[in-house]
Amino acid sequence: MTEFTIDDGWMSESSVRELAAWYHDHCPLTDQLTFETHLTVLRAYATLVTESPLETEMGISRARYNILRLLYQAPDNRLLMGDIVQGMNVSPTNITKLVDTLVGDGLVHRVVHDVDKRKTWAELTPEGIAVIESALPSVANHVRGLWDGLNDEEKRILVHLLSKARLSSISTHANEPAKVMRELAPLRPGIG
């Protein structure tokens, strides 16, 4: 069973802290807290993506749902295949295969671009619209349940910290990205 501890008001997971200590012992140039942070985010991610109602209740993979959602959000419920590739950040081959399965299930159909015949639209069918509209309440309930344990301030702090981590990882400021991050977005006066 997973054991959580509270030390000086800060919660952590014992097994993650132990693994972070092991990593630090073997890689002493990276401090233990950095390893613990990284491992905690990975564990949280793994928890968040499992047991989605999409798979358990509706039988739709997350990737198929995301294509349906992108199409649902798009004007006229359609996007060029290249736009789906860009929106999903997945290879064109994978998107083609996923769209093929959605076409096979009658949730999407392809429409040749009327000007550039090399381009193809993926467009939701009425059945695809119905699937998304029936999935949204389950998605909302699932997400709400996952985050009920945090108050609004904690959620804002988490969004802030994860945004800083993401920006740091994609930063084009090769010279001192951590310093730039602290200057752009401090957590609070005296913190972060």
Side-chain angles (χ1 to χ4, degrees):
M1 186 171 117
T2 302
E3 181 182 324
F4 291 91
T5 59
I6 298 178
D7 182 22
D8 214 15
W10 296 99
M11 181 182 288
S12 64
E13 190 173 346
S14 298
S15 62
V16 170
R17 182 169 280 177
E18 291 165 10
L19 183 55
W22 180 87
Y23 270 111
H24 174 63
D25 288 345
H26 290 82
C27 309
L29 295 177
T30 303
D31 65 89
Q32 181 176 333
L33 186 56
T34 298
F35 278 119
E36 186 176 357
T37 302
H38 182 75
L39 294 167
T40 300
V41 169
L42 291 177
R43 289 246 177 123
Y45 173 77
T47 300
L48 294 173
V49 298
T50 58
E51 300 183 26
S52 165
L54 298 171
E55 286 111 12
T56 58
E57 296 172 19
M58 307 195 75
I60 299 173
S61 72
R62 186 175 304 276
R64 287 169 37 105
Y65 168 81
N66 282 330
I67 290 174
L68 294 174
R69 179 192 47 77
L70 282 171
L71 293 171
Y72 187 78
Q73 291 177 275
D76 300 322
N77 301 122
R78 69 185 200 165
L79 288 169
L80 291 170
M81 293 291 287
D83 294 336
I84 297 172
V85 168
Q86 188 173 28
M88 296 273 296
N89 197 25
V90 178
S91 75
T93 302
N94 286 339
I95 294 301
T96 299
K97 289 177 184 177
L98 287 165
V99 170
D100 284 347
T101 65
L102 293 168
V103 168
D105 290 344
L107 304 176
V108 171
H109 65 262
R110 286 190 172 90
V111 178
V112 176
H113 194 279
D114 52 348
V115 176
D116 186 345
K117 303 298 181 198
R118 297 170 295 170
K119 295 181 179 180
T120 304
W121 295 95
E123 183 175 84
L124 277 180
T125 64
E127 293 81 8
I129 291 170
V131 166
I132 280 293
E133 289 177 349
S134 68
L136 288 173
S138 292
V139 169
N141 288 335
H142 177 67
V143 170
R144 186 174 45 252
L146 289 170
W147 297 103
D148 273 347
L150 301 181
N151 64 36
D152 287 349
E153 182 179 11
E154 291 167 329
K155 291 173 193 172
R156 276 189 220 93
I157 290 168
L158 182 59
V159 167
H160 174 81
L161 295 174
L162 292 174
S163 296
K164 280 181 76 171
R166 180 157 157 69
L167 182 58
S168 180
S169 73
I170 61 174
S171 177
T172 57
H173 302 286
N175 306 336
E176 305 181 56
K179 180 180 179 224
V180 171
M181 288 305 309
R182 284 196 233 12
E183 291 171 1
L184 284 176
L187 178 59
R188 296 226 170 167
I191 301 176

